[in-house]
Amino acid sequence: MRLLLVEDDTMIGEAVQDLLRAEHYAVDWARDANAADTALRTQSYDLVLLDLGLPGRDGLSVLRDMRTRRDRTPVLIATARDSVQQRIEGLDAGADDYVVKPYDLDELLARIRALLRRASGRAE
């Protein structure tokens, strides 16, 4: 399984990338919205783990651009934006799930597994 991690914080990015690789995922890491857009236009991913607070351009714009292109790749937003309205906005923009930082790494992995199961047509 190939995942795109979109995260500008080096410490968080390294920790999540190491965690995902330890779980045998292939991980590409984009540190800003433009790098994420380039990766999404040139590569295929099974899931995108998307931060919203990115330098230059908001992560929601990356998500909206994906959905405008009819890119159905599952997206799990992982952000510090924790208000109910922000969660609703992210889900309404096309995210499949939303987790608030700081998140538990085991929960993050469980959410990723659930999204990948659903995307492959297996709900169990």
Side-chain angles (χ1 to χ4, degrees), residues 10-25:
T10 302
M11 197 162 71
I12 294 171
E14 287 174 352
V16 172
Q17 183 179 45
D18 290 347
L19 173 76
L20 294 173
R21 286 183 173 164
E23 295 293 318
H24 307 290
Y25 295 111

Side-chain angles (χ1 to χ4, degrees), residues 6-111:
V6 184
E7 174 61 63
D8 65 316
D9 184 288
T10 302
M11 197 162 71
I12 294 171
E14 287 174 352
V16 172
Q17 183 179 45
D18 290 347
L19 173 76
L20 294 173
R21 286 183 173 164
E23 295 293 318
H24 307 290
Y25 295 111
V27 182
D28 291 342
W29 181 8
R31 296 166 197 220
D32 61 45
N34 291 335
D37 273 338
T38 299
L40 288 163
R41 290 174 188 272
T42 58
Q43 302 292 324
S44 294
Y45 293 98
D46 297 293
L47 183 133
V48 177
L49 184 59
L50 179 65
D51 185 18
L52 297 182
L54 300 171
R57 197 161 59 102
D58 191 72
L60 275 181
S61 68
V62 173
L63 176 58
R64 288 186 181 114
D65 289 349
M66 286 178 67
R67 297 313 188 217
T68 297
R69 290 191 310 271
R70 302 211 188 286
D71 183 337
R72 294 184 177 175
T73 305
V75 174
L76 171 55
I77 291 176
T79 185
R81 297 181 186 174
D82 63 351
S83 76
V84 172
Q85 187 55 45
Q86 289 166 320
R87 291 185 303 229
I88 291 169
E89 185 177 358
L91 293 166
D92 282 348
D96 298 279
D97 200 356
Y98 196 110
V99 63
V100 177
K101 294 176 185 175
Y103 44 77
D104 180 85
L105 294 177
D106 289 331
E107 179 184 3
L108 180 70
L109 288 172
R111 288 174 182 268

